[in-house]
Amino acid sequence: MMQHVDMIIKNGTVLTMDSKNSVFENGFLCVQGDTISHIGDGSIETFKPKKTIDAKEGLILPGLVNAHTHAAMSLFRGLADDLPLMEWLNSYIFPVESQMDAEFVYTGSLLAIAEMIMSGTTTFCDMYLFEDEVAKAAKRSGMRCLVGEVIYDFPSSNYGPVEKAIEYSEGLIRKWRNDPIVSIAVEPHSLYTCSPKLLTMANELALKYKVPLIIHIAETISEVNEIKEKYGKTPIEHLDSLKILGPHLIADHCVCIEPSDITTMAKHGVKIVHNPESNMKLASGVAPVPEMLASGLTVGLGTDGCASNNNLDLFMEMDMAAKIHKVNTMDPTVMDAITVLKMATIGGATVLGLEDFTGSLEVGKKADIIVVDTYQPHLVPMYNPFSHLVYAANGNDVRDTIINGRLVMEDRDLLTLDLDEVIAHAKEKAVKVRSWISNGAHPKNENGQTQ
Ligand SMILES: [Zn+2]
């Protein structure tokens, strides 16, 4: 009997990333509406698909999850590199960020989303100003996301005074609450830019609507020292004393944390996002990810903003995540390829609270799928697909991207965005950024903003 399906992806090795790490060589996968309806190997003659994608003996795997970005910072890529963190922030990033408006963030987000779709990312988690624009850009592109307005103790160029921070975040939650691909989080920037009162209010809002609370935590040693001086506690102890630790908390970075902090976070089921390239580029240090994983913590992978990376390619991030811990511990067995690929797929999805929808290929889950073209000199021969994805492939090897059942890139062609238009608009904004810098836009910003 014929079975009608919307899409079939055939003739590839399916890496499901499910709990048994099932692999189907010569496998196929069917999509019905926004959902995966069949996965397997063998004959596909009984299926009558509206659309067929031939993986041509490539790899079929879940779309990658970029669990921490500042998407619109794509417009600051390469603006300033190789500088100490505070000089980089105060002389370049904060001055240009203070000039941004909603349209700037929308343009930068579309550029970032184009880059992410074209390098195999199907879900991203964002923190920035004008986040409603990021949500709109994701919606237009057909990209799954968890986004939230960055809030802190000083005025925002978007929502205004700090008194409006919670109200604005609540408005975002209400506006997007039933959207199939856009979800909203509450995102206080950090412990050094948010008072205990603001953190507590943000946490209450997150709990009220059952959405994640996302904070940069312990990214640098100077931040940890500042918190210790102010509160006499480590950042994790500080959050614990405010009763903010819990499975809804997504902690970005956690580079400078103590063994006792790991135990505390594990006890409360806190989720972690590891950003190795940004931590290397800004010389922040190495997060103790092997210890976190050993303690049972769920860890996802993020690129962080483009200005501190300088790309959104999660394949490169996986490569770095696998290698940085080896050299840091002088132990090549400490972080294997499958562990890293898990962080970039089901790990990241679990961190974002989206594990019922995405992060692995399973019947009933949403169809967030990528096809990797392995007919490339740098991917031949292939003894172990997990090894290739982490150590040899790059984002350009992704040929097709499907998000929520919708084909958004086919044969390297972006279908939901006009790439020429996205690039032209980004270049226009870069002219503005140059003028902001050359007009002596080097004022010290005492407050500090995102990053
Ligand atoms: Zn960040």
Side-chain angles (χ1 to χ4, degrees):
M1 198 186 105
M2 275 296 174
Q3 235 177 323
H4 293 267
V5 293
D6 287 328
M7 196 188 301
I8 190 162
I9 307 163
K10 64 172 190 179
N11 191 23
T13 298
V14 182
L15 309 177
T16 64
M17 304 310 291
D18 66 8
S19 58
K20 291 183 203 143
N21 201 22
S22 314
V23 174
F24 298 97
E25 281 175 37
N26 255 318
F28 70 88
L29 192 147
C30 299
V31 178
Q32 188 66 15
D34 58 9
T35 304
I36 298 169
S37 59
H38 304 80
I39 304 176
D41 45 19
S43 170
I44 55 168
E45 278 166 21
T46 55
F47 295 107
K48 197 168 188 311
K50 287 186 192 140
K51 172 85 186 168
T52 300
I53 294 178
D54 187 346
K56 295 180 185 158
E57 299 180 3
L59 301 174
I60 303 166
L61 64 147
L64 306 181
V65 178
N66 189 344
H68 180 56
T69 61
H70 310 281
M73 290 188 88
S74 58
L75 293 174
F76 304 142
R77 188 196 323 261
L79 175 67
D81 304 303
D82 313 322
L83 293 170
L85 177 64
M86 290 329 283
E87 188 184 343
W88 177 75
L89 284 175
N90 287 323
S91 299
Y92 293 93
I93 300 302
F94 293 159
V96 290
E97 282 187 340
S98 67
Q99 309 276 334
M100 292 184 323
D101 58 13
E103 197 208 336
F104 187 95
V105 170
Y106 184 71
T107 305
S109 299
L110 283 181
L111 179 68
I113 289 167
E115 183 186 355
M116 286 192 273
I117 289 175
M118 295 187 77
S119 54
T121 293
T122 56
T123 301
F124 72 104
C125 179
D126 205 63
M127 174 195 279
Y128 215 48
L129 299 137
F130 301 99
E131 203 66 28
D132 192 40
E133 301 297 319
V134 185
K136 284 185 207 160
K139 186 75 184 164
R140 177 175 156 194
S141 322
M143 179 102 176
R144 193 180 303 284
C145 67
L146 172 67
V147 305
E149 184 76 11
V150 66
I151 61 178
Y152 31 46
D153 275 321
F154 32 85
S156 154
S157 51
N158 181 21
Y159 58 76
V162 60
E163 290 74 25
K164 296 270 183 199
I166 298 297
E167 185 186 319
Y168 184 84
S169 295
E170 185 162 13
L172 271 186
I173 296 171
R174 287 171 167 274
K175 177 176 175 182
W176 293 96
R177 67 196 307 183
N178 294 318
D179 195 273
I181 55 172
V182 174
S183 311
I184 302 292
V186 183
E187 308 204 20
H189 174 261
S190 63
L191 308 194
Y192 59 96
T193 53
C194 297
S195 65
K197 184 182 163 205
L198 183 61
L199 289 169
T200 303
M201 286 165 71
N203 187 47
E204 282 166 2
L205 180 66
L207 293 174
K208 177 178 169 189
Y209 286 95
K210 297 188 169 59
V211 300
L213 181 76
I214 305 180
I215 318 177
H216 290 115
I217 299 173
E219 181 174 355
T220 63
I221 191 67
S222 65
E223 172 195 334
V224 172
N225 290 339
E226 190 181 325
I227 298 302
K228 277 185 179 166
E229 214 164 277
K230 228 171 173 174
Y231 304 106
K233 297 181 172 79
T234 69
I236 296 301
E237 289 165 357
H238 178 50
L239 288 171
D240 197 15
S241 73
L242 296 173
K243 303 203 176 347
I244 286 175
L245 300 180
H248 66 305
L249 176 63
I250 301 174
D252 295 326
H253 295 297
C254 294
V255 172
C256 305
I257 54 168
E258 324 242 340
S260 60
D261 291 331
I262 295 178
T263 310
T264 307
M265 286 194 290
K267 194 178 92 187
H268 290 280
V270 172
K271 312 294 197 306
I272 313 280
V273 182
H274 182 35
N275 306 271
E277 287 196 83
S278 171
N279 298 156
M280 283 193 278
K281 186 157 183 275
L282 296 172
S284 303
V286 183
V289 173
E291 289 86 342
M292 291 172 182
L293 292 172
S295 75
L297 281 161
T298 305
V299 183
L301 206 57
T303 56
D304 207 356
C306 227
S308 61
N309 188 300
N310 291 357
N311 60 63
L312 302 170
D313 184 345
L314 274 174
F315 285 86
M316 293 175 77
E317 202 73 33
M318 287 196 286
D319 188 29
M320 291 298 155
K323 288 172 182 166
I324 189 175
H325 299 288
K326 298 187 198 314
V327 72
N328 191 44
T329 56
M330 296 303 281
D331 176 1
T333 69
V334 76
M335 190 74 92
D336 61 51
I338 291 179
T339 302
V340 173
L341 188 61
K342 271 188 189 160
M343 287 202 298
T345 53
I346 188 64
T350 307
V351 163
L352 305 187
L354 298 173
E355 70 274 22
D356 290 342
F357 304 102
T358 191
S360 60
L361 302 180
E362 297 179 59
V363 171
K365 276 200 176 187
K366 301 299 179 193
D368 292 355
I369 306 160
I370 58 174
V371 176
V372 174
D373 176 9
T374 53
Y375 194 77
Q376 313 260 10
H378 63 281
L379 298 177
V380 173
M382 184 165 67
Y383 301 109
N384 178 336
F386 298 101
S387 163
H388 266 18
L389 289 169
V390 172
Y391 295 116
N394 64 66
N396 296 331
D397 300 326
V398 177
R399 211 187 54 208
D400 310 295
T401 304
I402 294 146
I403 306 176
N404 209 41
R406 182 179 180 193
L407 191 57
V408 295
M409 181 173 75
E410 182 173 23
D411 215 359
R412 299 288 304 154
D413 232 0
L414 264 184
L415 303 180
T416 51
L417 294 173
D418 179 340
L419 187 58
D420 291 334
E421 187 189 299
V422 169
I423 288 176
H425 287 170
K427 286 186 167 180
E428 282 166 25
K429 296 298 176 198
V431 174
K432 282 197 171 176
V433 171
R434 276 205 189 90
S435 74
W436 295 339
I437 293 284
S438 62
N439 287 344
H442 283 241
K444 283 264 185 291
N445 182 329
E446 298 302 326
N447 300 325
Q449 287 173 335
T450 55
Q451 189 51 35

